[in-house]
Amino acid sequence: SVEANVAFGLKQEGMPKDQIAARVEEMLKLVKLQDFAKRKPHQLSGGQRQRVALARSLAKKPKVLLLDEPLGALDRKLREETQFELTDLQYELGMTFLIVTHDQEEAMTMADRIAVMDRGRIIQIATPAEIYELPNSRFVADFIGDINLMECKVTAKEGEICRMTSVEFGCEIEVAQPVEAGIGETVWFAIRPEKVRISFDEPESRVNAVTGEVWDIAYLGDVSIYHTHIANEQTVRATVANRSRVVERPVGWDDKVWLSWDADAGVVLTK
């Protein structure tokens, strides 16, 4: 039964029966399974079985709880719900959770700090916001979320303003950030799709702007993702929030569009 499963580790430690019963009741209440104490595994959903395993682990009050792909077997909606439940539990118990996951979205949702690893080496440790907005390398930028990466040559630097040229993408780029690279050196400009504007109107400045043809569109309900072919058959992705309830999109396949972004929208990477 569920209660026997949660009590197993406590019995192994020789805890008195009355204390075991109290601890099991406390843990089942914590994971919202107090009404399922007498049920057997085949009577539970996948999410409920995951919570039983969590309660069994928490019952022994460990200082650190190690979770290896804890939500991998759950469907998307249940996984999202359980992510928030785990986060609330961690906050309530004041316990350290160390989670291993290949799901970037799961890591971003649950973590206070993320360590991104490549072939056994830690590449960057930072908060989710820093990992996403300020990646320290192309690997991290590409690994966490979607990204547009443009190879560039630095052409001018004035204070915290840096100008670059991307022959590959056929555009001039200006960024409002200090860049640790000299004139003529190769760097990479990284910008997230949601920070790219898409429009039929030509921008006032050709800096931080490219033109191309919409090649593909992915409608995800809350957002639409546009893949636009520009110079040399390169692709720039733009994500647009579907704020209004419109079935017909203003931008469609094969449309000629302009893509543009602000000087502080992207980040320059030197490795």
Side-chain angles (χ1 to χ4, degrees):
S1 66
V2 167
E3 61 182 1
N5 194 300
V6 176
F8 179 77
L10 304 176
K11 288 181 178 179
Q12 294 295 100
E13 288 187 341
M15 181 181 284
K17 288 186 177 180
D18 57 334
Q19 292 183 29
I20 290 176
R23 181 76 62 81
V24 168
E25 184 180 356
E26 178 189 357
M27 291 299 104
L28 291 181
K29 186 176 180 181
L30 192 64
V31 297
K32 301 181 179 65
L33 287 176
Q34 59 268 40
D35 296 331
F36 297 80
K38 303 299 182 183
R39 292 200 184 184
K40 297 295 175 62
H42 70 275
Q43 297 174 303
L44 302 174
S45 68
Q48 289 166 341
R49 288 197 293 269
Q50 291 281 56
R51 280 187 276 172
V52 172
L54 183 63
R56 183 178 65 241
S57 302
L58 294 172
K60 297 180 71 173
K61 294 186 177 180
K63 292 182 180 179
V64 180
L65 186 62
L66 308 179
L67 302 166
D68 185 8
E69 301 281 1
L71 311 179
L74 306 185
D75 63 63
R76 182 180 177 85
K77 194 164 186 178
L78 184 56
R79 186 164 66 243
E80 289 176 353
E81 292 173 0
T82 310
Q83 285 171 10
F84 286 106
E85 288 179 359
L86 275 175
T87 303
D88 292 341
L89 272 175
Q90 189 271 336
Y91 180 79
E92 185 176 339
L93 297 172
M95 186 185 299
T96 297
F97 283 13
L98 180 59
I99 301 174
V100 178
T101 179
H102 289 86
D103 188 324
Q104 293 93 333
E105 193 174 292
E106 184 176 296
M108 296 287 286
T109 300
M110 298 178 66
D112 295 306
R113 291 175 67 77
I114 295 174
V116 180
M117 300 184 71
D118 178 29
R119 290 175 290 187
R121 293 188 303 114
I122 293 176
I123 306 300
Q124 184 174 2
I125 300 178
T127 65
E130 289 171 325
I131 290 283
Y132 189 80
E133 301 289 355
L134 299 171
N136 65 2
S137 65
R138 285 176 289 159
F139 176 83
V140 175
D142 190 46
F143 186 72
I144 299 291
D146 288 331
I147 197 78
N148 295 301
L149 278 170
M150 305 180 187
E151 185 175 329
C152 304
K153 293 282 187 183
V154 176
T155 56
K157 296 173 71 175
E158 297 177 13
E160 291 194 352
I161 301 297
C162 178
R163 278 183 172 260
M164 303 170 293
T165 300
S166 176
V167 176
E168 190 179 29
F169 283 77
C171 63
E172 298 291 325
I173 299 171
E174 182 177 287
V175 294
Q177 71 173 88
V179 175
E180 295 180 359
I183 306 298
E185 290 189 27
T186 299
V187 295
W188 288 266
F189 177 66
I191 185 166
R192 299 290 180 185
E194 69 272 13
K195 294 177 171 61
V196 177
R197 294 184 292 269
I198 185 169
S199 171
F200 291 119
D201 301 323
E202 183 177 345
E204 293 181 4
S205 171
R206 291 292 186 94
V207 176
N208 293 345
V210 293
T211 185
E213 181 179 300
V214 175
W215 190 257
D216 209 353
I217 304 172
Y219 176 75
L220 303 182
D222 55 342
V223 298
S224 292
I225 303 172
Y226 294 87
H227 288 199
T228 302
H229 275 190
I230 57 172
N232 299 329
E233 294 299 311
Q234 298 297 320
T235 300
V236 174
R237 295 187 295 274
T239 300
V240 179
N242 297 320
R243 295 186 177 89
S244 58
R245 191 176 59 187
V246 178
V247 176
E248 292 295 331
R249 299 184 195 85
V251 178
W253 280 269
D254 302 327
D255 282 345
K256 304 290 185 182
V257 295
W258 281 90
L259 303 171
S260 60
W261 55 89
D262 296 328
D264 60 354
V267 62
V268 178
L269 306 172
T270 57
K271 60 180 179 178

